[in-house]
Amino acid sequence: KEKLGHYLHGFESLRGQQAKLAAMKVQLEKSAPELTDAYTSEIEVERVKAHFELAAASFVAGLTNVATIRAEHMSMRLTGLGLGNKTVHGIGHMIEGTKGGNDGQPFESGQGEFATRRVILDFHMQQIAKLITKLDSVPEGDGSMMDNTVIVYLSDHGDRHHSKFAEWPMITFGSAGGSLRTGRYIQLPGWGNRGNRTIANFYLALLHAAGDQRDEFGDKDLQSPDHIDQRGPLQEWIA
């Protein structure tokens, strides 16, 4: 009986969701992106463009307030950027255009790893810029939807190939309605040093900006010295 109750709850939730979508039909049709070849393309970077368009449309339509886009993955090929048939994994094993590591063949373009990564990062930034432009064009409250948004761009593996997560660089856009301070470069002390913070403190700042005032997130770093404060948001970022 208990198991069937879970199934029933699932079906009822789906029915409720479908009813909400039906009620939003006009709004969804108005916000839906144009279905271009990018949505069916075999070229992976074209599908990334489609993901950004879907995220923007979902925000504008009111389907969600949060979206996560994985802009690349280990086996992704970047032929659409003129980088040949090498995968992201293969690019990570290159040493400035020389052979090195697994899959260490030279780049078809003759560029080294850093020059190649710049091409990829430029592509990512172009998609983020389009998203910002779209959200900035949508009125919301006394400003635009972008005024009430924060976009976080970060590596999914920390600071380097086979990272130990001693550092984790990231870029943010937007102030989440004035809750976060923008136009700043923040560099915190390294692991184990006084003033060091964890990625949890960064996530807590996002939660505080969204109105959730909790002071703990996830598991603590048990190897961190006792003098490191792992509670609370990243105060340097809070407005």
Side-chain angles (χ1 to χ4, degrees), residues 18-108:
Q18 291 300 318
K20 290 179 181 178
L21 290 174
M24 297 172 63
K25 181 180 179 181
V26 175
Q27 184 177 346
L28 293 176
E29 289 176 345
K30 192 182 203 178
S31 306
E34 180 184 355
L35 291 179
T36 63
D37 292 340
Y39 288 84
T40 57
S41 177
E42 293 296 320
I43 300 175
E44 291 183 272
V45 295
E46 292 299 313
R47 297 205 298 271
V48 171
K49 294 178 183 178
H51 291 166
F52 274 89
E53 289 181 359
L54 284 172
S58 297
F59 292 145
V60 175
L63 283 176
T64 183
N65 291 327
V66 181
T68 301
I69 299 174
R70 188 178 182 187
E72 63 180 46
H73 54 83
M74 296 287 279
S75 59
M76 182 175 180
R77 299 185 187 278
L78 299 161
T79 51
L81 298 181
L83 297 177
N85 203 37
K86 187 175 289 296
T87 64
V88 170
H89 186 202
I91 290 172
H93 277 287
M94 290 303 296
I95 306 174
E96 279 303 278
T98 66
K99 292 185 176 182
N102 297 324
D103 196 26
Q105 294 79 28
F107 285 95
E108 289 85 344

Side-chain angles (χ1 to χ4, degrees), residues 29-233:
E29 289 176 345
K30 192 182 203 178
S31 306
E34 180 184 355
L35 291 179
T36 63
D37 292 340
Y39 288 84
T40 57
S41 177
E42 293 296 320
I43 300 175
E44 291 183 272
V45 295
E46 292 299 313
R47 297 205 298 271
V48 171
K49 294 178 183 178
H51 291 166
F52 274 89
E53 289 181 359
L54 284 172
S58 297
F59 292 145
V60 175
L63 283 176
T64 183
N65 291 327
V66 181
T68 301
I69 299 174
R70 188 178 182 187
E72 63 180 46
H73 54 83
M74 296 287 279
S75 59
M76 182 175 180
R77 299 185 187 278
L78 299 161
T79 51
L81 298 181
L83 297 177
N85 203 37
K86 187 175 289 296
T87 64
V88 170
H89 186 202
I91 290 172
H93 277 287
M94 290 303 296
I95 306 174
E96 279 303 278
T98 66
K99 292 185 176 182
N102 297 324
D103 196 26
Q105 294 79 28
F107 285 95
E108 289 85 344
S109 63
Q111 297 182 112
E113 178 190 359
F114 298 151
T116 301
R117 288 303 307 178
R118 277 196 292 272
V119 172
I120 299 169
L121 293 174
D122 283 348
F123 169 71
H124 291 169
M125 288 298 127
Q126 289 166 13
Q127 306 318 304
I128 292 174
K130 290 177 183 177
L131 176 59
I132 290 173
T133 300
K134 176 65 176 178
L135 298 182
D136 202 37
S137 70
V138 179
E140 187 174 82
D142 296 330
S144 71
M145 186 171 283
M146 187 60 211
D147 291 328
N148 297 309
T149 298
V150 59
I151 298 173
V152 179
Y153 176 77
L154 72 164
S155 164
D156 60 358
H157 62 269
D159 55 343
R160 61 180 178 174
H161 193 76
H162 298 309
S163 175
K164 294 183 179 180
F165 302 98
E167 296 181 350
W168 203 332
M170 57 193 68
I171 304 171
T172 66
F173 307 84
S175 65
S179 298
L180 302 171
R181 299 172 66 185
T182 60
R184 310 176 71 233
Y185 175 81
I186 301 173
Q187 182 172 7
L188 297 168
W191 187 89
N193 296 312
R194 290 192 178 277
N196 173 248
R197 308 305 300 274
T198 70
I199 189 68
N201 302 120
F202 176 81
Y203 290 144
L204 283 167
L206 288 174
L207 286 169
H208 277 232
D212 186 330
Q213 301 298 306
R214 74 181 70 187
D215 286 324
E216 292 186 352
F217 181 90
D219 295 331
K220 290 185 177 181
D221 178 3
L222 299 180
Q223 296 181 339
S224 184
D226 292 338
H227 61 74
I228 302 300
D229 183 11
Q230 299 186 46
R231 291 172 53 83

